[in-house]
Amino acid sequence: MSYFGLIQFGILASFGFAFLAAVISTIAYPLVRQRLSKIPPAPRSNILLLWLIVPVLIGTTLTTLTFLPSFLSLLGLSPDHCTVHDGHLHLCLSHPPLPMNNSILQACLVALLCAGTVYVGRHVLKILRASKMQRSLMMASKPYHMQGVYIVDWDMPLALSVGIRHMKVFISSRLIQVLPSKQLEIVIAHEQAHLNRNDSLRYFIAHAFSFVHFPWLRNNMLRDFDLATEQACDEAAVEITGNRLNVADTILVVERLFNIKKPPFMAMSISGSNISSRVESLLVPSPAHKPVAKAYMVLAFFGLLLLTFAMMEDIHHYTESTLQFVVG
Amino acid sequence: MLPIKRQNLGELEMAVLEHLWLAKTGSAKGVHQNIGTQRGISPNTIQSTLDRLFKKQLLNREKVSHAYVYSPSVERGELMAQLIGDVVETLSGGEGDYLLSAFVEFAARTDESNLDRLEQLITQRRADECSGTQK
């Protein structure tokens, strides 16, 4: 018994579902983008993160669901459903289908699989590079009097957080020299918010698993996600330091310092900066947001689970029919 | 002097360098006594670390009787500047810098006129808040 055909059809179904989710996102996102921008930054960045990976999530979840009926019957938890098939393609773990013989489709599948693997692999390499950079910065720095904060002896107004599992905040000696202590406190509070929110991991997930979206939509969503994340950290700095205008002021001061001291070899773009949006959002009060109660979320989760099980057989059969139509 | 190559240094290599920057020179035996013993590392490990650093052109060595005496070939400041330079180079590249969250973006700048406009908005807002408090 060979599972090669089953794997082929499973991958094809995953890409099909993911592509469908990407198409729906392309239509839906421009319609809701304006409304999304009115949500406070922290929940907005959560929504955007989820939306960025929705095609991959839907692809894997629905494909798993497609195989669930035969998996349950294999375990003896449900009756064998093989008899109800009327000659079309059969996605079954007990009686796996023969491999597809359409060479063009096979080549497309291999190309898609390779592209996906290379894409995620590139981002995994970036993690390794980031951890190497964190090591370099650790070597070139000395601890500041705050936990997880290090001073780098550097003549640039540097403030950044680096790392995936153990993020660290690095502040340049130049920034410490020129910023008043109140503003330095704001910069550190912002960077520590990245640590507390595990933003490096969230950035990695958002970038590595959003490849199914159409490029222009993906770029827009990533830009919005980046802005929401920075704004969430600005809000965290406001909570700690207590004044929205001081945070806005600090962003401008550091930006001006950077404009003065930028290294000559750095190729910088003027248009890509999110400074204006960050400062302008700090000039108005944070939008009111009523968080969803945990009880409702648990209820919604179980409701979704129930719906999933109720639709399991239908998803299974519709997938089989669609695959039959595609492979001929 | 030769330019410093792009270095990838481990923790032990860095500790050995730190020791030699302080002590100026040292043999494998001496470095082991100062660093290896407290870390529970064998003299062979220290010897191979010194060899690696020599091959990376970060140490000079001179044979004195039967043993090599090592000394740093780069200043601490030079190496640190290079390590930081690697980070800046990555940041300035734009692509792949999302794993380093900077307080202000590295590869994107806001022009001065826009900064002036934002500053005016902040001043205006502060004035509004002050007049609101006084009323």
Side-chain angles (χ1 to χ4, degrees):
Chain A
M1 191 160 59
S2 163
Y3 282 98
F4 186 61
L6 204 67
I7 293 167
Q8 274 186 332
F9 286 113
I11 294 169
L12 190 64
S14 300
F15 276 112
F17 287 131
F19 180 73
L20 201 64
V23 170
I24 294 169
S25 294
T26 308
I27 300 163
Y29 191 71
L31 301 175
V32 299
R33 194 180 186 189
Q34 201 63 35
R35 295 186 85 176
L36 259 182
S37 66
K38 294 192 175 85
I39 298 173
R44 189 179 354 127
S45 93
N46 291 341
I47 293 168
L48 283 164
L49 176 62
L50 189 67
W51 201 335
L52 277 159
I53 61 167
V54 143
V56 171
L57 269 183
I58 287 188
T60 42
T61 310
L62 290 186
T63 307
T64 310
L65 273 178
T66 304
F67 288 111
L68 212 55
S70 71
F71 182 66
L72 290 179
S73 56
L74 198 69
L75 294 178
L77 296 171
S78 71
D80 194 353
H81 75 295
C82 298
T83 48
V84 295
H85 285 82
D86 46 356
H88 69 64
L89 183 87
H90 188 27
L91 292 177
C92 176
L93 293 168
S94 318
H95 314 98
L98 290 170
M100 60 173 88
N101 50 15
N102 185 332
S103 55
I104 297 172
L105 215 54
Q106 273 183 334
C108 287
L109 209 60
V110 170
L112 278 173
L113 208 59
C114 288
T117 312
V118 167
Y119 192 85
V120 176
R122 266 182 56 209
H123 288 278
V124 172
L125 283 179
K126 280 176 187 175
I127 293 187
L128 298 177
R129 200 167 63 167
S131 76
K132 188 194 154 198
M133 268 188 283
Q134 191 196 45
R135 217 169 49 224
S136 295
L137 283 168
M138 286 290 285
M139 283 176 193
S141 63
K142 50 183 186 285
Y144 192 53
H145 62 76
M146 292 169 88
Q147 176 96 33
V149 183
Y150 295 82
I151 308 169
V152 188
D153 190 16
W154 195 35
D155 196 28
M156 288 285 297
L158 170 95
L160 47 87
S161 41
V162 192
I164 280 277
R165 276 181 64 227
H166 304 288
M167 274 180 96
K168 302 268 190 295
V169 174
F170 296 94
I171 309 282
S172 71
S173 50
R174 165 91 186 151
L175 205 63
I176 292 174
Q177 279 164 16
V178 294
L179 276 192
S181 62
K182 195 77 194 165
Q183 291 187 333
L184 191 64
E185 197 188 324
I186 289 169
V187 172
I188 292 173
H190 173 103
E191 291 306 321
Q192 279 186 323
H194 281 302
L195 256 75
N196 299 334
R197 290 166 43 84
N198 269 322
D199 277 337
S200 281
L201 185 63
R202 290 160 61 93
Y203 275 125
F204 168 71
I205 293 169
H207 281 259
F209 298 104
S210 57
F211 59 91
V212 189
H213 281 296
F214 293 103
W216 67 268
L217 178 76
R218 181 178 176 269
N219 290 343
N220 279 343
M221 288 177 87
L222 282 173
R223 230 187 336 263
D224 292 348
F225 172 67
D226 182 45
L227 176 63
T229 304
E230 289 303 322
Q231 286 177 330
C233 293
D234 289 340
E235 292 294 338
V238 170
E239 263 177 46
I240 293 168
T241 55
N243 190 313
R244 303 181 72 76
L245 296 181
N246 285 351
V247 176
D249 228 1
T250 307
I251 295 171
L252 285 189
V253 168
V254 178
E255 180 71 6
R256 277 195 200 282
L257 283 171
F258 226 111
N259 278 352
I260 296 165
K261 287 294 295 182
K262 68 182 170 195
F265 58 85
M266 275 175 85
M268 293 175 183
S269 86
I270 295 285
S271 55
S273 169
N274 58 19
I275 294 293
S276 302
S277 312
R278 281 171 67 190
V279 171
E280 279 162 6
S281 76
L282 287 164
L283 297 178
V284 290
S286 181
H289 177 68
K290 217 171 136 190
V292 184
K294 259 196 181 147
Y296 284 123
M297 281 167 77
V298 171
L299 213 66
F301 174 74
F302 280 107
L304 201 69
L305 208 66
L306 217 66
L307 188 76
T308 303
F309 273 98
M311 291 176 67
M312 182 175 70
E313 286 286 344
D314 288 332
I315 291 169
H316 172 78
H317 289 296
Y318 282 128
T319 310
E320 284 177 334
S321 306
T322 313
L323 284 175
Q324 178 74 60
F325 175 74
V326 171
V327 297
Chain B
M1 159 146 182
L2 289 166
I4 306 168
K5 279 187 191 167
R6 192 173 271 262
Q7 302 296 349
N8 191 10
L9 296 171
E11 200 220 340
L12 182 60
E13 289 176 324
M14 202 60 206
V16 169
L17 273 173
E18 291 283 2
H19 168 72
L20 288 173
W21 276 320
L22 278 175
K24 309 288 183 208
T25 58
S27 63
K29 198 178 166 188
V31 175
H32 178 253
Q33 272 171 1
N34 280 286
I35 294 174
T37 322
Q38 57 191 6
R39 290 169 178 248
I41 295 168
S42 72
N44 282 344
T45 309
I46 293 290
Q47 181 62 64
S48 56
T49 306
L50 287 164
D51 281 343
R52 253 194 330 271
L53 287 170
F54 172 71
K55 281 177 189 154
K56 287 181 181 179
Q57 298 179 322
L58 294 172
L59 294 182
N60 293 321
R61 70 181 181 192
E62 197 184 338
K63 202 155 196 176
V64 177
S65 65
H66 293 294
Y68 281 116
V69 174
Y70 294 87
S71 62
S73 64
V74 287
E75 295 291 320
R76 191 181 192 281
E78 277 179 274
L79 187 65
M80 295 306 136
Q82 188 246 325
L83 290 176
I84 296 169
D86 281 354
V87 176
V88 180
E89 210 180 304
T90 308
L91 284 168
S92 62
E95 170 72 9
D97 64 3
Y98 65 83
L99 288 170
L100 295 95
S101 309
F103 184 68
V104 295
E105 287 168 275
F106 270 69
R109 296 269 66 82
T110 313
D111 60 89
E112 281 297 319
S113 61
N114 197 21
L115 290 179
D116 290 340
R117 180 186 68 84
L118 293 169
E119 202 164 271
Q120 270 179 356
L121 286 175
I122 295 173
T123 315
Q124 180 68 46
R125 189 87 179 91
R126 272 197 210 284
D128 291 348
E129 274 186 7
C130 279
S131 60
T133 319
Q134 277 165 5
K135 278 176 198 169

